[in-house]
Amino acid sequence: MPSLRLAAPTPFLRRHGLLAVLLAASLAALAPASQAQEGPQLNLQRVELTAGMHRIDAQVAVAPVERQIGLMNRPEMPQHEGMLFVFEQPSEQCFWMKNTLLPLTAAFVADDGTIVNLEDMKPQTLDSHCSKKPVRFVLEMNQGWFAKKGIKAGFKLGGAPFSKK
């Protein structure tokens, strides 16, 4: 972590003191995180999911930083691949496409694997795409994948994440 070193107090620091120091420290702490987002995440754990007779090879984003980066900066993705975002508890989940180069479809998925709703998302936009009810899972695939397979809301996905415990 970069260290924060201050020389003689400037008029700004004398006036704003602790606030300025905290702001500078916060900005310094954020610098490594933004550098880590320069390239795509390609080495996350994977899980095999099924959609009827179709197999999906999904990267799994569990940690907050993995979920935050998602599929950002990825120039391409094979058609049978996707990313499964896993949250700690069901909640309304909203996604956007900042720094995401691929057109994607987000499937908002209930604990039992049932697709609650599907949302097409345009690359590099800040439009919010949300689940219609609380969910713990979101599966992103290349845009058109679900439509080509005839998969709609109410369809049930299979795989270890959706197995009853």
Side-chain angles (χ1 to χ4, degrees):
M1 175 185 239
S3 62
L4 181 63
R5 199 169 108 198
L6 298 174
T10 64
F12 179 82
L13 280 178
R14 277 193 296 270
R15 236 185 345 246
H16 301 336
L18 182 59
L19 176 62
V21 171
L22 291 174
L23 178 61
S26 297
L27 291 173
L30 290 175
S34 64
Q35 292 169 357
Q37 294 182 25
E38 289 177 12
Q41 302 187 101
L42 299 173
N43 297 316
L44 296 179
Q45 183 178 14
R46 293 179 176 269
V47 66
E48 183 174 308
L49 305 176
T50 57
M53 62 185 245
H54 306 286
R55 186 182 70 80
I56 301 166
D57 180 16
Q59 287 183 283
V60 182
V62 177
V65 70
E66 294 169 348
R67 294 190 306 246
Q68 180 183 359
I69 296 170
L71 290 169
M72 285 182 177
N73 302 310
R74 194 159 173 183
E76 61 187 9
M77 183 170 63
Q79 285 300 307
H80 70 284
E81 289 188 17
M83 183 171 284
L84 182 67
F85 296 80
V86 180
F87 296 88
E88 292 79 22
Q89 54 190 343
S91 180
E92 178 187 34
Q93 306 299 340
C94 293
F95 280 58
W96 61 354
M97 296 287 283
K98 180 180 179 182
N99 298 327
T100 306
L101 310 174
L102 304 169
L104 299 171
T105 300
F108 296 95
V109 184
D111 281 358
D112 70 351
T114 302
I115 297 174
V116 172
N117 60 298
L118 295 164
E119 295 285 331
D120 287 340
M121 304 183 297
K122 293 180 184 173
Q124 302 191 52
T125 61
L126 298 180
D127 300 339
S128 192
H129 304 277
C130 301
S131 60
K132 291 187 176 175
K133 71 177 201 176
V135 297
R136 280 193 330 120
F137 302 102
V138 180
L139 175 62
E140 288 184 342
M141 298 290 290
N142 284 303
Q143 194 168 100
W145 189 89
F146 293 103
K148 287 176 190 169
K149 311 281 189 259
I151 297 171
K152 300 177 182 195
F155 191 93
K156 193 167 181 178
L157 301 175
F162 314 123
S163 300
K164 293 195 181 213
K165 301 193 176 5

